[in-house]
Amino acid sequence: MIEKKVDIAVIGAGPGGLAAAVSAKESGADVLLIERNPFLGGILIQCIHDGFGLHLFDKNYTGPEYAEEMVNRLENAGVPYLTNCMVIDLNEKKELTVVTSKGLMKLIAKAVILAMGCRERTRGALEIPGTRPAGIYTAGVAQNLVNIQNLRIGNDVVILGSGDVGLIMARRLKIEGLNVIRVIEILPYCSGLVRNRVQCLEDYGIPLTLSSTVIDIHGKDRLEAVTMAKVDRDFNVDHDTTEKIDCDTLLLSVGLIPENELSKKAGVNLDNRTSGALVDNFYETSTEGIFSCGNVLHIHDVADYASNEGFFVGEKAAEYAKGKWKHSGGKPVKIGNGISYVVPQYIRNDCNEVELKFRVTQPFENVRIIVKNGDDVVFKKRVLKVIPSEMNILKLKSIDPEKDVEVKIVIIDKNIN
Amino acid sequence: MDKIHDIIIIGAGVVGCALARALSRYKLDVLVLEKEDDVAGSTSKANSGVIHAGYHKKPGSLKATLNVAGHSYFQRLSDELDFPVKFIGKLVVAKKENEIEDLRKLMDRGFKNGVKGLELIDGKQIKHFEPNVNGFAAMHSPVSGITSPYLMCIALAENAHLNGVDFVFDTEVTGISKEKEIFVVQVSNGSIYRSRWLINSAGLNSARVSQMICENDHRMYPCRGEYYITDKVDTLIKRLIYPTPSKDGVTLGIHITPTLDGNILIGPSAEYIERLDDTASTREVMDKLKRESSQFLPPIKEAKFIRNYAGIRAKLFHPSSGVKDADFVIEEDESIKRMINLIGIESPGLTAAPAIAEKVVGIIGEKEALVDDEKFNPERKAPVVFEHLSDDEKARLIEQDPDYGEIVCRCETITKKEVLAALNNPLGVRTLDGVKKRCRAGMGRCQGGFCTPRIVEIMTDEYGISPEEIYKNNESSNMFFGKVKDDREEG
Ligand SMILES: Cc1cc2nc3c(=O)[nH]c(=O)nc-3n(C[C@H](O)[C@H](O)[C@H](O)COP(=O)(O)OP(=O)(O)OC[C@H]3O[C@@H](n4cnc5c(N)ncnc54)[C@H](O)[C@@H]3O)c2cc1C
Ligand SMILES: Cc1cc2nc3c(=O)[nH]c(=O)nc-3n(C[C@H](O)[C@H](O)[C@H](O)COP(=O)(O)OP(=O)(O)OC[C@H]3O[C@@H](n4cnc5c(N)ncnc54)[C@H](O)[C@@H]3O)c2cc1C
């Protein structure tokens, strides 16, 4: 057994973990970054399209280019890292068990940063009835098979779910000459980013059918067809609207789930809204000295935001490892009308400045985003449009941490304004 | 193929595999023909995996006696063949007072069938055993257990193979005739196999296969049972939780079965269907499974589901005819000598399989002397399961072989070495589902999301094949259609 001690262990080398490792090192900590894949960069490596780095680097990078930029920073900062090494166990004492090709490693850390990313929702989680043939893939798996392994996964493709990965794969497969029949979305609106809907579907003439879903799957060995039907606002299927679509491939782009199995082993409490850890505004979880950032904490729209979170968390974890502050817990942020989740979920009682990230429950037009601190309104902004697929970030400069903070959406009454 | 085998077995479900293994201890030339790509390709992979105690079936019936006898083989088989069994016990739960009578009937049958350890318990004791389960009273059956039905079939078949039995997959028997006391068996690819004995353990197709040569009026009424599989929820229940049996006597009711890997199965439903192979899941039944199971295990509603599946019961009766049960048919045909038919082997067929096998050996043994093969080796070693080892053992293995140091399936912690072992299985099965059954890669919560690309890579490397030659199970279930880009364009 290999034994090792370190100030900070970072688990996962996607945009979140890379940023966290760089900033922890630059803040003076002794860091080890551990990645399961044979390469650094996480999910970015299979995202060969552009649109990365617009916020962080002011550049329009592809996924691998963005990863390269981050890896350069990592190497400049001199952060040691392991690839092909998977953390299989973590406990509350911050002892990690790592499988490496050289042997099993016990790593004892003063602080741990969880940056394991997410996995995709599958057919089983969606509970789609029907047969179980070959030819059903989640969009991210299809992306890997096509972009990394150079494999043609089918001929006639239906995509269920208008998540970003699905939209990007619709375009990708169309470019590679596959017949992308349509994208089917259960919500009355596209759930991916607007730019992806325009650039991936509309520009390529791929139809998007809203308020509809796949209710049956046909074909014994390889997929032969799916049955599509309309749904009402409460997602009840209208069986008079069924349509059988012949296809040999079904891609699912129906949501990402933070990968928190390891976090649970370390006693980290999870938020059922995000499926990620509950954290305070230093991104410390309920387990002292364990931090979380990136998609394992909550699903980010773009890699840049995951990295930004990582930069912040790396610094905080370094401060913790040096004993600059202690676990506090703090006061829960209240989730008001129209808000689906807020991160962080707690505000420490020694902080007056805090950044809140949140999503809305449904698309709203002409509303106010309001943050109250006790009885005071500390933030107020009128917005013409907010949608669930876009994360909102706001900074509060001087709050009273002893008083409740609540985020909510208020619909502007046209008659009054 | 002019060779004349002593025995041909049609079908490599649990019955065919148990029989192959039982026969492999004698000096016999045995061949198994199976239409799917692997053992347990049909009903034997899609059931509850329960080792029944044997209190359910009518005293004196083959179903009852072979169930109780079959149960008694499991521990030894598991020790010899290294497949998992666990006798976790079962509660048959009466939701209301008026169901206690049903429990008493089961106790009574169990007593007559020779089942050990049955006891009636009250609602308080239920809570003591299983805090999450609601019920008025229950019958506790401590000897009921669970196994992995496909690992069991693989273990039986591998040991049979080690002892000289040949398995031929992707080969469907399409016709049978008899020439001068020798069976001539035609298969889907046009080949012909010959044997002195022919054993029909073709499961759902057993009536059809028997009628290729025998005259009888057995008819199969397929009855589908659908299931849900949850993500790992170790803490919810420790035992099998069953309702009191349905009044029509058709099934045991929708029950809740913990698996050896910490998941939970909910099901099966019972629905007579048209086609023998229609294993699709349906919305109505899926909703019903959740509804009924949450009546006695309310927290199951919160569980996360990772997959659905369905298995089909090989029933020899339709309830509309008023018949409540039909016994197993296990007999040598009256006019076609040395043709043994195993028909209607529905539940408790998995449990009974080892005893069914011995019964068939007995039928053969009455006709001719079976000579022990002194080279018979009763033991078979399962491949290493890395996740089950202690840290020290894990460390030692990685030092011996760095392929243990690469985790391929992250949900189930399966190493490259385990995938390689599955790829190089003794039966020569080469499909993605074959890998999945053997080492669990792809059976976890992401359902192969992360590991499929890597397994495809390892398969193409190890077998020296192209990705187009990779199949999910049979030869029409191809995964890929060539490359996206020509290799030349890449550089
Ligand atoms: C399929 C897909 C397509 C996307 N497309 C775009 C896009 O076009 N534009 C955009 O801006 N954003 C896109 N995103 C979003 C963006 O890439 C993600 O927000 C970002 O990658 C999240 O970064 P992360 O570091 O949290 O996670 P990841 O990038 O997922 O990295 C997590 C890393 O942790 C490793 N890991 C996990 N568990 C362990 C363990 N136990 N031990 C060791 N290592 C472990 C994983 O192997 C992985 O490398 C996409 C996301 C996905 C999933
Ligand atoms: C929903 C359900 C739940 C059950 N739960 C339990 C349980 O918990 N405990 C228990 O003890 N029992 C249970 N059973 C019963 C048990 O699963 C079966 O009795 C058992 O699997 C039958 O095994 P078999 O080998 O006879 O049939 P099968 O597994 O069907 O095997 C027959 C094989 O023959 C092959 N075959 C068919 N036709 C041909 C042909 N023409 N040529 C070549 N090959 C052919 C098929 O491909 C198949 O592989 C359950 C059954 C069902 C349906």
Side-chain angles (χ1 to χ4, degrees):
Chain A
M1 198 99 62
I2 310 161
E3 291 194 12
K4 218 176 147 83
K5 279 197 173 142
V6 71
D7 286 348
I8 297 177
V10 182
I11 310 175
L18 286 167
V22 167
S23 90
K25 175 80 187 186
E26 286 173 353
S27 309
D30 157 32
V31 183
L32 181 61
L33 172 64
I34 306 161
E35 169 57 49
R36 204 181 59 96
N37 283 325
F39 47 80
L40 301 173
I43 208 77
L44 290 173
I45 303 303
Q46 67 183 58
C47 302
I48 60 170
H49 53 280
D50 63 3
F52 294 84
L54 297 169
H55 302 265
L56 195 60
F57 302 116
D58 205 12
K59 291 250 172 65
N60 188 9
Y61 283 141
T62 63
E65 285 168 344
Y66 182 106
E68 197 180 318
E69 180 84 44
M70 291 298 297
V71 172
N72 283 340
R73 288 202 181 188
L74 186 85
E75 282 174 350
N76 289 339
V79 179
Y81 60 84
L82 300 171
T83 51
N84 268 325
C85 292
M86 177 163 163
V87 180
I88 56 165
D89 201 12
L90 171 68
N91 64 25
E92 297 183 27
K93 289 186 276 180
K94 297 177 279 290
E95 294 165 349
L96 295 81
T97 311
V98 191
V99 174
T100 82
S101 60
K102 300 203 181 63
L104 204 66
M105 180 165 89
K106 280 274 172 217
L107 182 66
I108 301 168
K110 288 185 190 154
V112 174
I113 301 176
L114 307 170
M116 290 91 74
C118 61
R119 65 172 181 272
E120 298 177 279
R121 278 183 80 199
T122 63
R123 172 180 177 190
L126 276 180
E127 304 173 33
I128 311 175
T131 56
R132 290 166 293 282
I136 304 174
Y137 298 97
T138 55
V141 174
Q143 189 174 47
N144 184 304
L145 291 169
V146 173
N147 291 351
I148 308 270
Q149 315 256 11
N150 189 24
L151 291 171
R152 189 176 165 106
I153 55 169
N155 300 304
D156 303 295
V157 188
V158 167
I159 300 179
L160 178 62
S162 58
D164 287 308
V165 198
L167 300 181
I168 282 159
M169 281 313 289
R171 172 176 66 184
R172 181 83 190 101
L173 295 177
K174 182 96 178 183
I175 291 173
E176 293 304 344
L178 279 71
N179 173 24
V180 182
I181 300 167
R182 65 175 64 246
V183 176
I184 302 170
E185 169 58 57
I186 197 166
L187 295 169
Y189 51 89
C190 177
S191 69
L193 297 174
V194 176
R195 74 161 196 236
N196 284 335
R197 191 191 70 216
V198 175
Q199 295 172 4
C200 299
L201 298 188
E202 292 173 9
D203 289 358
Y204 287 82
I206 300 169
L208 169 65
T209 309
L210 298 174
S211 299
S212 297
T213 189
V214 167
I215 60 162
D216 209 353
I217 287 174
H218 313 272
K220 192 169 177 331
D221 303 320
R222 176 82 197 192
L223 181 66
E224 285 163 17
V226 298
T227 304
M228 176 177 85
K230 291 243 161 258
V231 299
D232 67 12
R233 284 199 145 266
D234 303 317
F235 305 138
N236 297 310
V237 172
D238 179 353
H239 287 278
D240 294 333
T241 59
T242 59
E243 185 185 332
K244 200 165 171 182
I245 307 173
D246 290 339
C247 57
D248 64 10
T249 307
L250 176 67
L251 253 53
L252 304 174
S253 178
V254 288
L256 302 171
I257 307 170
E259 181 105 307
N260 274 296
E261 275 57 46
L262 211 49
S263 325
K264 285 189 223 162
K265 289 188 179 172
V268 168
N269 293 339
L270 302 185
D271 182 348
N272 58 12
R273 295 165 179 269
T274 54
S275 303
L278 290 162
V279 292
D280 66 17
N281 55 314
F282 287 177
Y283 290 77
E284 190 184 20
T285 67
S286 57
T287 303
E288 176 161 0
I290 296 187
F291 297 76
S292 178
C293 66
N295 277 355
V296 74
L297 179 60
H298 60 131
I299 301 300
H300 292 67
D301 320 345
V302 290
D304 306 49
Y305 294 157
S307 291
N308 271 333
E309 202 165 82
F311 284 127
F312 180 78
V313 173
E315 189 184 322
K316 287 296 157 199
E319 287 173 13
Y320 171 85
K322 284 186 210 139
K324 284 203 179 155
W325 48 264
K326 288 236 153 350
H327 187 75
S328 110
K331 213 172 168 56
V333 178
K334 286 191 161 175
I335 295 176
N337 180 47
I339 304 295
S340 72
Y341 77 75
V342 181
V343 167
Q345 292 87 347
Y346 294 91
I347 295 175
R348 291 173 60 95
N349 53 20
D350 55 1
C351 292
N352 307 101
E353 264 189 52
V354 46
E355 188 179 75
L356 298 180
K357 299 169 184 167
F358 63 92
R359 286 179 199 271
V360 290
T361 51
Q362 65 189 76
F364 289 108
E365 283 182 16
N366 199 22
V367 291
R368 254 190 205 110
I369 298 170
I370 292 199
V371 182
K372 287 177 86 176
N373 183 202
D375 292 332
D376 303 335
V377 172
V378 287
F379 181 92
K380 188 161 97 177
K381 185 179 169 196
R382 181 174 175 164
V383 286
L384 291 178
K385 196 165 180 192
V386 277
I387 53 175
S389 62
E390 277 166 23
M391 187 172 76
N392 302 279
I393 305 181
L394 58 83
K395 284 201 167 84
L396 304 176
K397 286 266 149 51
S398 54
I399 56 156
D400 177 355
E402 299 297 333
K403 289 188 186 150
D404 281 338
V405 170
E406 181 184 15
V407 186
K408 64 180 172 185
I409 297 290
V410 176
I411 302 193
I412 297 173
D413 189 333
K414 291 198 185 85
N415 298 329
I416 295 174
N417 261 341
Chain B
M1 283 170 229
D2 291 333
K3 181 172 183 188
I4 298 172
H5 301 276
D6 291 317
I7 299 174
I8 287 181
I9 299 172
I10 305 172
V14 68
V15 173
C17 292
L19 182 57
R21 198 268 178 165
L23 291 170
S24 72
R25 66 174 71 238
Y26 304 106
K27 282 194 170 139
L28 289 170
D29 177 340
V30 181
L31 176 73
V32 183
L33 300 175
E34 167 57 53
K35 76 174 164 60
E36 300 295 327
D37 62 300
D38 196 352
V39 299
S42 181
T43 310
S44 296
K45 73 167 180 227
N47 52 59
S48 303
V50 175
I51 309 170
H52 288 299
Y55 51 75
H56 187 63
K57 296 293 173 187
K58 199 165 126 210
S61 64
L62 284 177
K63 280 186 175 172
T65 50
L66 295 176
N67 178 340
V68 174
H71 182 286
S72 70
Y73 284 94
F74 270 79
Q75 188 60 59
R76 204 180 98 203
L77 280 178
S78 160
D79 293 342
E80 286 178 349
L81 303 178
D82 204 8
F83 70 90
V85 300
K86 220 169 168 182
F87 296 96
I88 57 176
K90 180 192 289 191
L91 296 184
V92 182
V93 180
K95 289 192 285 288
K96 299 193 208 78
E97 192 170 357
N98 61 7
E99 292 175 11
I100 291 196
E101 206 38 49
D102 299 324
L103 296 183
R104 292 232 162 79
K105 272 188 209 145
L106 288 181
M107 293 279 293
D108 191 36
R109 281 199 162 176
F111 183 76
K112 290 191 180 124
N113 291 347
V115 178
K116 296 194 186 74
L118 300 179
E119 57 174 341
L120 274 185
I121 61 172
D122 62 18
K124 232 197 231 149
Q125 287 166 299
I126 294 180
K127 285 281 165 211
H128 173 73
F129 275 132
E130 294 288 350
N132 293 312
V133 173
N134 289 347
F136 181 82
M139 182 183 81
H140 176 219
S141 163
V143 302
S144 300
I146 51 175
T147 184
S148 159
Y150 40 88
L151 288 183
M152 174 179 171
C153 290
I154 290 167
L156 288 163
E158 285 187 2
N159 185 244
H161 183 63
L162 177 78
N163 290 303
V165 176
D166 283 326
F167 287 78
V168 183
F169 297 109
D170 294 308
T171 301
E172 179 171 1
V173 172
T174 52
I176 304 170
S177 56
K178 213 171 169 189
E179 288 169 10
K180 297 188 194 127
E181 297 303 300
I182 298 297
F183 288 99
V184 179
V185 180
Q186 269 169 33
V187 300
S188 41
N189 69 4
S191 304
I192 298 234
Y193 294 90
R194 291 171 210 274
S195 64
R196 295 194 300 114
W197 286 85
L198 189 58
I199 299 168
N200 164 19
S201 55
L204 288 158
N205 280 333
S206 54
R208 199 184 287 167
V209 166
S210 79
Q211 286 150 14
M212 288 177 183
I213 181 160
C214 306
E215 270 182 45
N216 61 46
D217 49 14
H218 293 303
R219 183 173 161 195
M220 207 55 81
Y221 297 90
C223 177
R224 182 168 58 203
E226 295 185 30
Y227 291 88
Y228 264 107
I229 312 178
T230 72
D231 198 355
K232 301 198 180 199
V233 264
D234 324 333
T235 49
L236 219 45
I237 45 169
K238 294 200 246 354
R239 294 171 186 74
L240 298 151
I241 310 296
Y242 278 52
T244 50
S246 67
K247 293 274 180 279
D248 58 12
V250 177
T251 68
L252 302 177
I254 290 172
H255 45 258
I256 307 175
T257 307
T259 71
L260 290 154
D261 300 289
N263 308 73
I264 287 182
L265 308 177
I266 302 173
S269 54
E271 188 198 352
Y272 282 85
I273 53 170
E274 297 291 314
R275 286 194 2 239
L276 292 172
D277 64 348
D278 184 4
T279 53
S281 306
T282 59
R283 176 88 276 146
E284 303 74 53
V285 172
M286 287 162 70
D287 292 343
K288 180 179 146 136
L289 292 179
K290 282 203 221 168
R291 209 169 45 238
E292 292 198 6
S293 58
S294 63
Q295 284 175 1
F296 44 100
L297 186 65
I300 199 81
K301 274 186 283 196
E302 316 299 325
K304 297 207 164 48
F305 300 103
I306 61 175
R307 195 177 167 83
N308 293 85
Y309 69 95
I312 299 179
R313 302 175 183 82
K315 291 216 176 270
L316 289 176
F317 63 97
H318 195 284
S320 63
S321 65
V323 177
K324 289 222 165 137
D325 202 359
D327 209 355
F328 292 156
V329 174
I330 302 173
E331 59 194 19
E332 183 181 0
D333 190 78
E334 277 181 21
S335 42
I336 311 291
K337 292 293 164 211
R338 294 191 307 284
M339 166 93 183
I340 301 178
N341 284 309
L342 307 176
I343 304 177
I345 312 296
E346 51 156 327
S347 188
L350 179 73
T351 314
I356 294 175
E358 289 309 327
K359 188 172 168 68
V360 173
V361 171
I363 296 175
I364 300 171
E366 272 175 25
K367 291 287 175 69
E368 58 186 56
L370 295 174
V371 182
D372 282 336
D373 182 347
E374 61 284 355
K375 293 201 296 293
F376 173 72
N377 176 358
E379 293 195 356
R380 169 256 181 196
K381 232 23 236 140
V384 168
V385 181
F386 187 77
E387 198 186 10
H388 295 169
L389 302 177
S390 70
D391 282 354
D392 286 334
E393 288 169 313
K394 284 179 181 149
R396 191 176 53 77
L397 281 185
I398 300 172
E399 271 154 40
Q400 281 172 11
D401 189 335
D403 283 342
Y404 281 112
E406 181 189 335
I407 307 285
V408 173
C409 165
R410 66 158 91 163
C411 301
E412 302 287 320
T413 322
I414 315 290
T415 62
K416 180 178 177 193
K417 182 74 184 177
E418 292 163 274
V419 173
L420 286 171
L423 289 179
N424 295 309
N425 65 81
L427 297 174
V429 175
R430 290 183 150 212
T431 56
L432 263 182
D433 279 358
V435 175
K436 185 171 149 180
K437 276 189 213 154
R438 282 170 178 75
C439 71
R440 280 189 71 71
M443 283 215 186
R445 58 183 69 86
C446 91
Q447 289 286 299
F450 288 112
C451 62
T452 303
R454 180 70 183 123
I455 291 177
V456 166
E457 231 171 30
I458 299 175
M459 275 175 105
T460 49
D461 281 357
E462 187 68 13
Y463 291 157
I465 57 174
S466 70
E468 298 93 279
E469 295 170 273
I470 294 182
Y471 297 95
K472 181 170 181 289
N473 39 57
N474 61 35
E475 280 177 9
S476 1
S477 63
N478 52 316
M479 301 284 296
F480 308 112
F481 300 82
K483 296 197 167 176
V484 172
K485 287 207 165 30
D486 220 328
D487 278 337
R488 276 165 304 166
E489 283 177 42
E490 270 182 18

